[in-house]
Amino acid sequence: MRRPLVAGNWKMNGTRAGVKDLVAGILSGLGGFDRASNAEVVVCPPFVFLADVAAQLAGSPIALGAQNGSAEKPGAFTGEIAVEMLVEFGCRYVIIGHSERRALYGEGDAMVALKWAAVDAAGLTPILCVGERLEEREAGNTEEVVARQLVSVMDAVGVEAIGRCIIAYEPVWAIGTGRTASPQQAQEVHAFIRAQIAARSPNVAEQVRILYGGSVKGSNAAELFAMPDVDGGLIGGASINAREFITICAAA
Ligand code: PEP
């Protein structure tokens, strides 16, 4: 039985005061959640807010994650954040390979695999994002694209290591567009991802959690999460609204 997980990707949003209110709202809304029987909940603020959010979340069941991390060891890499720093600030998860980083910052499959390995080596859990662009889906290439993104990491780190991460299927055409994949579309790709892993290790495939991301809201979360291979969600826009985020967590 895979425990559902909901992770909020706040992207480059928030002010110090606004983040404080957001966390307070999430904490009060999830007050009844307990560690064992409910969905696991993770929030991924911008780096500069990590310390504040870590302090606010102390003693709560909500875990802290980062939106990115460097593949390099600490050193002369201006503007980068080492995974060791994320550990020190209480992070447990790191989003890797988000489509915005692939598209806007040129992170290709090789870089994603290096980052994945650095995050894992630091004892953190990578949330590995994969997903096709609209033109790739329309050309019938969804499986090919998703398989390439997944296999490049599996080849680099080995299938057993994949069992230590979370995978997020995020069709690029659904991210921030308000256009959600239908539950059936999500299930098809999630089942495909699981089958790709099962071809190397049925055990890992059975245990690995695969989240759906792309315009998940309070109103559509339950039907997406009801799919057998959808183990929760990676939530962007709706995660910076406490009420929406709590509704999504409750659905999981
Ligand atoms: C995301 O950026 O990971 C995401 C899923 O965004 P949104 O929920 O806003 O589509």
Side-chain angles (χ1 to χ4, degrees):
M1 180 73 184
R2 297 181 295 269
R3 185 177 176 202
L5 187 150
V6 176
N9 171 15
W10 296 357
K11 311 197 188 198
M12 197 174 72
N13 289 301
T15 61
R16 211 168 177 184
V19 160
K20 194 171 175 202
D21 289 346
L22 174 60
V23 176
I26 294 171
L27 282 172
S28 80
L30 295 183
F33 265 51
D34 76 68
R35 274 172 217 277
S37 59
N38 289 110
E40 208 173 329
V41 178
V42 181
V43 293
C44 303
F47 292 129
V48 292
F49 300 133
L50 284 175
D52 285 355
V53 176
Q56 235 180 320
L57 292 180
S60 84
I62 302 174
L64 191 62
Q67 298 172 21
N68 186 21
S70 175
E72 302 290 345
K73 288 283 164 204
F77 299 98
T78 303
E80 291 292 293
I81 303 287
V83 290
E84 289 81 353
M85 299 168 184
L86 300 177
V87 172
E88 190 178 352
F89 277 73
C91 289
R92 288 180 39 215
Y93 295 86
V94 184
I95 299 171
I96 296 293
H98 191 279
S99 63
E100 285 154 16
R101 297 219 56 90
R102 292 181 191 262
L104 303 174
Y105 301 99
E107 290 186 10
D109 292 333
M111 175 55 76
V112 170
L114 288 174
K115 288 190 170 202
W116 194 105
V119 168
D120 181 60
L124 300 168
T125 301
I127 300 176
L128 170 65
C129 301
V130 297
E132 81 288 1
R133 291 179 284 126
L134 183 59
E135 58 271 32
E136 292 167 331
R137 172 163 283 262
E138 286 175 345
N141 294 335
T142 297
E143 292 190 350
E144 184 189 322
V145 171
V146 168
R148 192 202 71 229
Q149 294 171 337
L150 176 66
V151 165
S152 63
V153 177
M154 277 203 292
D155 282 350
V157 304
V159 68
E160 294 302 324
I162 291 295
R164 295 194 292 274
C165 85
I166 310 286
I167 294 172
Y169 168 57
E170 298 210 306
V172 180
W173 47 271
I175 295 183
T177 59
R179 183 179 167 189
T180 318
S182 69
Q184 293 71 24
Q185 283 174 320
Q187 169 58 25
E188 267 173 30
V189 182
H190 282 231
F192 172 77
I193 290 170
R194 210 176 291 289
Q196 291 288 302
I197 300 170
R200 300 186 185 207
S201 168
N203 283 348
V204 170
E206 189 49 42
Q207 89 190 47
V208 76
R209 288 178 287 182
I210 307 175
L211 313 181
Y212 168 77
S215 297
V216 178
K217 305 183 279 270
S219 56
N220 61 22
E223 57 178 11
L224 286 159
F225 298 165
M227 294 290 113
D229 286 297
V230 177
D231 304 313
L234 179 55
I235 319 299
S239 72
I240 54 175
N241 176 316
R243 195 184 292 250
E244 278 286 309
F245 189 61
I246 290 160
T247 306
I248 294 166
C249 294

